[in-house]
């Protein structure tokens, strides 16, 4: 299934809206859009403490609510493309509900062209023992603005593997909120951002452990070049009573120029007694010994650097569950590193 | 001559290490460089490969008729120089095989040859991996990623057998190897001996030389070569140590 939106409006003519078996689609358009959205959430509370999310709700004119029926494994990924032309503002809205024991892969691609702006809100509810793979890929034009929020709740035994990859855009801001609501809920979060030129990429993540035996492993990598700026604020909050919680938060960054900037703040807030938590952040340059090693094998200095940058990114990209997507994203990153060809692709 | 080092002086962080080293390596020759710790053996290997952090203050190095010191590290490699590292770095995310194919093709382009395609390359890599007794899983991993010390050294020689350099400088390739791994490494080196290709082996121990027969053994002390002999010199050193030579050379 492929759903293509332009400036927040679904384009059925270029979409393939026939969902896989066991998956239903509901369009959130027209005057009833907001009511349909609330209905799709089934009263699952969504705090409106964020001005842009509120603006998104107020401006809501189209969107999709997707539901995967209990026990169903959706065949093929659900692919949503949010495009937007120059001088346009898009308010994208998506709701995904996985019924108990179901599983699916959702890919959201954000690709604004020219000086466009997108304000996206994605709500995902993973009911008991469901399995979600969610991939957000932002590869907008250099002048595009992207603001996005994902609110994901996991009930007992649900598992979510989440990816956030930001390669383009002038100004990018992501808020990822994951709530581990039921016992044994578990998430793996993988993030990658690349800020070169004068681009600004800001990732804010928050994971709430609200039940016993919940697990979170979060790993973000950032690359800043030119006068680019990358921000990572990752917060993991273990609430009272969420005993046996297991949380790991890692952020590693690569600075490629003197003007580039990375600001990182990994945070743990723990109110339970019996937990296992770790966090750490590092920021560094390319390793001169590695560059020399590659050059000593006949690899040119620039190519050696590009290989090492791509290798750094591959630690995240390589976790993508679809091989063709790994190659695609490596290619996208490569096209943003000048003169980079098929880096790191095995023969 | 393949390599002519003449009166080489080099410093590391301002400290003189090499103090007038001269060495001539002809085609097909195997030279062993031995010497006490701190004598400048590894510095020589790194200066030849072009590592940053060393400054050549005097002397010349001519490799295949060209000024080696004027070349970048990658140009030296493409001209046929190979450095086998004492401590090979781990580079996670750069595929071992990908690196090697890129390296081989950089060399082929440099020589005006056509690039090797993926299929031909894999055939070549499999053949050499068998020689080095390396499983396929080593080829598809990141460069040296998670390799043991011995596996790293075997990987260095594996790379060398694929790149087929004119001159290989092996910096303590034997250190940290058990006897079986040493045999595999020596086997890899010997497989490349063809009467044209030359080797400079920096080593502490005589035992490597019983597997790879050297034509010349040099003793490096105080930044210069103080004695040159044949294999029997290595046996003398094994029995008597370096002190008598260092003392005699003042």
């Amino acid at each position: 299934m492929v759903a293509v939106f332009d400036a927040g409006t679904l384009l059925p003519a270029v979409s393939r809206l026939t969902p896989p078996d066991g998956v239903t689609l509901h369009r959130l358009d027209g005057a009833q859009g907001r009511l349909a959205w609330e209905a799709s959430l089934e009263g699952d509370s969504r705090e409106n403490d964020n001005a842009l999310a509120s603006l998104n709700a107020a401006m809501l004119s189209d969107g999709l609510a997707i539901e995967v029926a209990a026990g169903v494994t959706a065949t093929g990924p659900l692919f949503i493309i949010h495009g937007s032309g120059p001088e346009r503002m898009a308010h994208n809205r998506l709701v995904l509900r996985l019924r108990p024991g179901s599983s699916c892969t959702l890919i959201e691609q954000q690709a604004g062209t020219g000086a466009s702006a997108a304000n996206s809100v994605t709500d995902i509810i993973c009911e008991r023992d469901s399995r979600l793979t969610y991939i957000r890929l932002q590869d907008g034009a250099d002048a595009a603005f992207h603001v996005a929020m994902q609110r994901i709740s996991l009930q007992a035994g649900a598992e979510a593997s989440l990816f956030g990859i930001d390669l383009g855009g002038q100004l990018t801001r992501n808020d990822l909120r994951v709530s581990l609501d039921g016992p044994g809920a578990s998430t793996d979060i993988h993030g990658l951002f690349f800020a070169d030129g004068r681009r600004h990429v800001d990732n804010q993540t928050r994971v709430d452990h609200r039940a016993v035996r919940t697990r979170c492993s979060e790993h973000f990598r950032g690359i800043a070049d030119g006068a680019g700026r990358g921000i990572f604020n990752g917060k993991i909050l273990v609430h009272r009573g969420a005993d046996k919680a297991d949380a790991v938060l890692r952020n590693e960054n690569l600075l490629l120029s003197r003007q580039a900037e990375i600001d990182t703040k990994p945070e743990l807030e723990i109110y339970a007694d019996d937990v296992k938590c770790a966090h750490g952040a590092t920021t560094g340059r390319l390793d001169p010994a590695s560059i020399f090693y590659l050059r000593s094998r006949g690899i040119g200095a620039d190519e050696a650097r590009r290989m090492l940058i791509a290798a750094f990114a591959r630690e995240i990209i390589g976790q993508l569950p679809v091989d063709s997507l790994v190659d695609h994203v490596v290619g996208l990153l490569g096209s943003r590193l000048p003169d980079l060809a098929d880096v790191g692709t095995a023969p | 001559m393949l390599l002519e080092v003449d009166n080489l002086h080099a410093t590391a962080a301002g400290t003189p290490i090499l103090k007038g080293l001269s060495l001539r390596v002809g085609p097909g020759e195997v030279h062993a460089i031995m010497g006490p710790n701190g004598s400048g053996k590894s510095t020589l290997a790194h200066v030849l490969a072009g590592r940053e952090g060393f400054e050549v203050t005097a002397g010349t190095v001519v490799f295949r008729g060209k000024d080696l010191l004027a070349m970048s590290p990658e140009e030296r490699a493409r001209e046929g120089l190979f450095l086998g590292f004492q401590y090979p770095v781990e580079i996670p995310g750069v595929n071992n095989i990908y690196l090697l194919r890129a390296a081989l093709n950089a060399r082929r382009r440099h020589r005006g040859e056509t690039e090797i395609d993926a299929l031909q390359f894999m055939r070549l890599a499999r053949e050499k991996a068998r020689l080095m007794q390396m499983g396929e899983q080593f080829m598809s991993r990141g460069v040296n990623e998670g390799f043991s010390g011995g596996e790293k050294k075997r990987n260095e020689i594996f790379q060398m057998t694929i790149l087929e350099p004119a001159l290989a400088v092996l910096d303590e390739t034997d250190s940290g190897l058990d006897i079986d791994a040493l045999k595999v490494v020596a086997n890899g080196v010997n497989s490349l001996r063809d009467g044209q290709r030359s080797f400079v082996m920096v080593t502490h121990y005589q035992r490597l030389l019983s597997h790879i027969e050297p034509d010349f053994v040099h003793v490096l002390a105080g930044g210069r070569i103080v004695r040159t002999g044949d294999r029997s010199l290595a046996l003398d050193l094994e029995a008597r140590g370096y002190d008598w030579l260092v003392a005699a050379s003042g």
Side-chain angles (χ1 to χ4, degrees):
Chain A
M1 188 209 84
V2 183
V4 181
F5 288 83
D6 176 46
T9 303
L10 183 67
L11 301 179
V14 293
S15 301
R16 237 183 13 246
L17 292 173
T18 313
D21 289 345
V23 178
T24 51
L25 289 184
H26 191 90
R27 196 168 168 185
L28 307 176
D29 61 341
Q32 300 302 309
R34 189 184 160 76
L35 290 174
W37 168 62
E38 283 176 354
S40 66
L41 288 175
E42 293 183 357
D44 201 307
S45 74
R46 286 291 184 265
E47 304 162 33
N48 267 328
D49 60 345
N50 178 290
L52 284 160
S54 299
L55 177 66
N56 175 288
M59 300 296 287
L60 178 66
S61 62
D62 204 348
L64 278 181
I66 306 173
E67 185 172 317
V68 186
V72 166
T73 297
T75 52
L78 310 170
F79 193 14
I80 314 288
I81 299 171
H82 296 296
S84 186
E87 317 298 328
R88 302 284 298 278
M89 172 113 193
H91 295 279
N92 305 305
R93 176 73 67 158
L94 187 68
V95 182
L96 171 66
R97 179 177 287 274
L98 285 100
R99 293 296 186 188
S102 67
S103 72
C104 81
T105 296
L106 174 67
I107 304 174
E108 252 193 304
Q109 184 169 10
Q110 300 159 324
T113 58
S116 59
N119 176 25
S120 306
V121 175
T122 303
D123 289 307
I124 303 178
I125 302 112
C126 299
E127 297 188 5
R128 291 183 70 93
D129 301 319
S130 60
R131 303 276 176 278
L132 166 73
T133 300
Y134 172 73
I135 300 163
R136 185 186 56 76
L137 174 61
Q138 184 272 107
D139 185 39
D142 284 350
F145 282 42
H146 295 92
V147 179
M149 175 177 278
Q150 301 92 42
R151 299 180 289 205
I152 301 169
S153 57
L154 279 77
Q155 298 178 3
E159 290 177 13
S161 178
L162 312 175
F163 290 83
I165 296 171
D166 290 286
L167 300 178
Q170 172 63 43
L171 180 71
T172 302
R173 156 89 183 208
N174 281 302
D175 280 84
L176 171 66
R177 298 181 184 181
V178 181
S179 188
L180 303 169
D181 293 330
S186 167
T187 185
D188 290 278
I189 304 171
H190 316 266
L192 175 71
F193 56 87
F194 176 63
D196 63 349
R198 303 193 63 78
R199 303 191 305 105
H200 180 110
V201 184
D202 183 348
N203 270 288
Q204 307 277 327
T205 73
R206 175 173 163 152
V207 178
D208 284 278
H209 290 256
R210 299 183 195 275
V212 296
R213 297 186 319 278
T214 45
R215 192 194 70 88
C216 164
S217 168
E218 180 172 354
H219 187 193
F220 261 75
R221 284 198 159 184
I223 305 167
D225 194 8
R229 183 167 181 218
I231 297 160
F232 174 73
N233 280 341
K235 185 173 194 171
I236 293 181
L237 213 152
V238 182
H239 293 261
R240 193 179 301 277
D243 290 329
K244 308 280 183 201
D246 183 344
V248 183
L249 172 57
R250 284 189 294 154
N251 170 230
E252 291 125 18
N253 303 297
L254 194 52
L255 279 176
L256 299 174
S257 78
R258 295 179 68 86
Q259 285 80 40
E261 181 176 333
I262 298 263
D263 302 292
T264 175
K265 189 172 71 170
E267 281 182 281
L268 286 176
E269 230 178 277
I270 303 167
Y271 298 100
D273 295 325
D274 180 14
V275 300
K276 198 171 99 188
C277 295
H279 70 315
T282 60
T283 299
R285 299 178 305 137
L286 290 175
D287 173 30
S290 297
I291 293 174
F292 176 68
Y293 188 87
L294 297 176
R295 293 179 77 188
S296 79
R297 297 298 180 250
I299 307 293
D302 285 348
E303 197 188 344
R305 287 188 193 97
R306 287 192 294 271
M307 281 171 96
L308 293 174
I309 296 165
F312 179 82
R314 239 179 198 279
E315 291 281 303
I316 300 295
I317 299 171
Q319 305 293 319
L320 285 165
V322 187
D323 282 351
S324 59
L325 202 54
V326 173
D327 292 342
H328 177 65
V329 175
V330 168
L332 288 178
L333 176 65
S335 68
R336 290 180 176 276
L337 302 171
D339 305 321
L340 187 80
D342 68 331
V343 153
T345 308
Chain B
M1 273 298 130
L2 185 66
L3 179 77
E4 293 172 85
V5 182
D6 189 35
N7 191 33
L8 185 65
H9 289 69
T11 61
T15 307
I17 308 283
L18 301 181
K19 302 166 185 170
L21 185 143
S22 296
L23 175 70
R24 295 161 74 83
V25 179
E29 293 174 358
V30 176
H31 292 244
I33 300 203
M34 306 183 75
N37 287 329
S39 59
K41 301 187 301 293
S42 282
T43 298
L44 173 64
H46 283 131
V47 166
L48 290 178
R51 183 163 207 154
E52 286 172 19
F54 297 95
E55 193 190 350
V56 174
T57 51
T60 57
V61 181
V62 176
F63 177 57
R64 305 175 102 181
K66 295 179 181 165
D67 179 2
L68 186 76
L69 299 177
M71 296 182 213
S72 65
E74 56 270 32
E75 284 170 333
R76 298 176 197 211
R78 292 170 195 166
E79 282 286 331
L81 181 79
F82 178 88
L83 173 63
F85 284 74
Q86 183 181 1
Y87 302 110
V89 291
E90 296 193 20
I91 314 182
V94 174
N95 180 287
N96 210 14
I97 281 297
Y98 170 79
L99 162 64
L100 264 181
R101 189 174 154 221
L104 183 58
N105 279 332
R107 180 132 192 253
R108 290 172 77 114
R109 279 195 304 275
H110 181 73
R111 291 193 296 205
E113 298 168 3
T114 55
E115 296 192 10
I116 189 166
D117 69 38
L119 219 63
Q120 283 175 297
F121 181 77
M122 282 313 291
R123 205 171 295 138
L124 174 69
R126 285 208 184 90
E127 177 200 326
K128 301 301 185 189
R130 258 197 307 278
L131 174 72
M132 294 309 297
Q133 299 181 16
M134 289 171 66
E136 298 232 346
Q137 75 276 14
F138 286 102
M139 309 195 329
S140 57
R141 294 232 294 258
V143 175
N144 293 321
E145 187 180 1
F147 287 23
S148 71
E151 286 163 350
K152 285 178 185 171
K153 296 298 178 70
R154 260 195 283 171
N155 193 32
E156 293 292 286
I157 303 303
F158 169 63
Q159 295 183 8
M160 182 183 77
T161 60
I162 284 185
L163 296 175
E164 300 191 323
L167 172 68
V169 179
L170 305 178
D171 189 7
E172 298 200 23
T173 296
D174 53 334
S175 64
L177 293 184
D178 62 32
I179 196 72
D180 291 329
L182 184 70
K183 279 181 188 161
V184 171
V185 162
N187 203 17
V189 172
N190 288 327
S191 77
L192 283 185
R193 292 184 70 172
D194 61 356
Q196 289 301 308
R197 190 165 289 120
S198 306
F199 297 86
V200 173
M201 301 187 300
V202 171
T203 181
H204 270 293
Y205 305 105
Q206 195 284 133
R207 63 171 195 166
L208 175 69
L209 307 180
S210 53
H211 295 282
I212 307 170
E213 189 101 356
D215 300 299
F216 300 94
V217 174
H218 308 277
V219 177
L220 185 58
R224 292 184 307 125
I225 286 174
V226 296
R227 179 71 67 101
T228 294
D230 61 13
R231 251 219 80 192
S232 61
L233 176 58
L235 295 169
D236 276 357
L237 293 169
E238 186 89 340
R240 300 173 64 189
Y242 294 111
D243 288 351
W244 60 283
L245 267 177
V246 175
S249 69

Short mmCIF file of all heavy atoms in Angstrom, two decimals, chain B residues 38 67 133 143 167 179 211 222 235 247:
data_model
loop_
_atom_site.label_atom_id
_atom_site.label_comp_id
_atom_site.label_asym_id
_atom_site.label_seq_id
_atom_site.Cartn_x
_atom_site.Cartn_y
_atom_site.Cartn_z
N GLY B 38 62.92 0.52 20.61
CA GLY B 38 63.25 1.94 20.55
C GLY B 38 64.36 2.27 19.57
O GLY B 38 64.84 3.40 19.52
N ASP B 67 60.78 9.50 -6.28
CA ASP B 67 60.98 10.04 -4.94
C ASP B 67 59.80 9.64 -4.05
O ASP B 67 58.71 10.21 -4.14
CB ASP B 67 61.08 11.58 -5.03
CG ASP B 67 61.26 12.23 -3.66
OD1 ASP B 67 61.34 11.49 -2.65
OD2 ASP B 67 61.32 13.47 -3.61
N GLN B 133 43.64 -19.46 5.32
CA GLN B 133 42.76 -20.20 6.24
C GLN B 133 41.82 -19.24 6.98
O GLN B 133 41.65 -19.31 8.20
CB GLN B 133 43.58 -21.04 7.22
CG GLN B 133 44.43 -22.08 6.48
CD GLN B 133 45.25 -22.94 7.42
OE1 GLN B 133 45.00 -22.99 8.62
NE2 GLN B 133 46.22 -23.63 6.87
N VAL B 143 36.27 -4.16 8.66
CA VAL B 143 37.73 -4.34 8.65
C VAL B 143 38.23 -4.61 10.06
O VAL B 143 38.11 -3.77 10.95
CB VAL B 143 38.43 -3.09 8.09
CG1 VAL B 143 39.94 -3.23 8.18
CG2 VAL B 143 38.01 -2.84 6.64
N LEU B 167 56.70 -4.17 -3.14
CA LEU B 167 57.49 -4.21 -1.91
C LEU B 167 56.54 -4.23 -0.71
O LEU B 167 55.68 -3.36 -0.60
CB LEU B 167 58.40 -2.98 -1.81
CG LEU B 167 59.15 -2.82 -0.47
CD1 LEU B 167 60.19 -3.92 -0.28
CD2 LEU B 167 59.80 -1.44 -0.38
N ILE B 179 52.17 -20.59 17.02
CA ILE B 179 53.03 -21.23 16.02
C ILE B 179 52.24 -21.60 14.76
O ILE B 179 52.75 -21.49 13.64
CB ILE B 179 53.80 -22.44 16.62
CG1 ILE B 179 54.96 -22.84 15.72
CG2 ILE B 179 52.89 -23.59 16.93
CD1 ILE B 179 56.09 -21.83 15.74
N HIS B 211 60.85 -19.58 9.06
CA HIS B 211 59.76 -19.88 8.13
C HIS B 211 59.86 -19.07 6.84
O HIS B 211 59.39 -19.49 5.80
CB HIS B 211 58.40 -19.60 8.78
CG HIS B 211 58.12 -20.49 9.94
ND1 HIS B 211 57.69 -21.80 9.79
CD2 HIS B 211 58.22 -20.29 11.28
CE1 HIS B 211 57.54 -22.35 10.98
NE2 HIS B 211 57.85 -21.46 11.91
N GLY B 222 70.04 2.68 17.55
CA GLY B 222 70.29 4.12 17.61
C GLY B 222 69.94 4.83 16.32
O GLY B 222 70.55 5.85 15.99
N LEU B 235 70.70 -15.78 14.04
CA LEU B 235 70.94 -16.83 15.03
C LEU B 235 71.91 -16.35 16.11
O LEU B 235 71.73 -16.63 17.29
CB LEU B 235 71.49 -18.09 14.34
CG LEU B 235 70.51 -18.74 13.36
CD1 LEU B 235 71.22 -19.81 12.52
CD2 LEU B 235 69.32 -19.35 14.11
N ALA B 247 77.14 -2.01 21.73
CA ALA B 247 78.37 -1.53 22.37
C ALA B 247 79.46 -1.33 21.31
O ALA B 247 80.14 -0.30 21.29
CB ALA B 247 78.84 -2.52 23.43
#
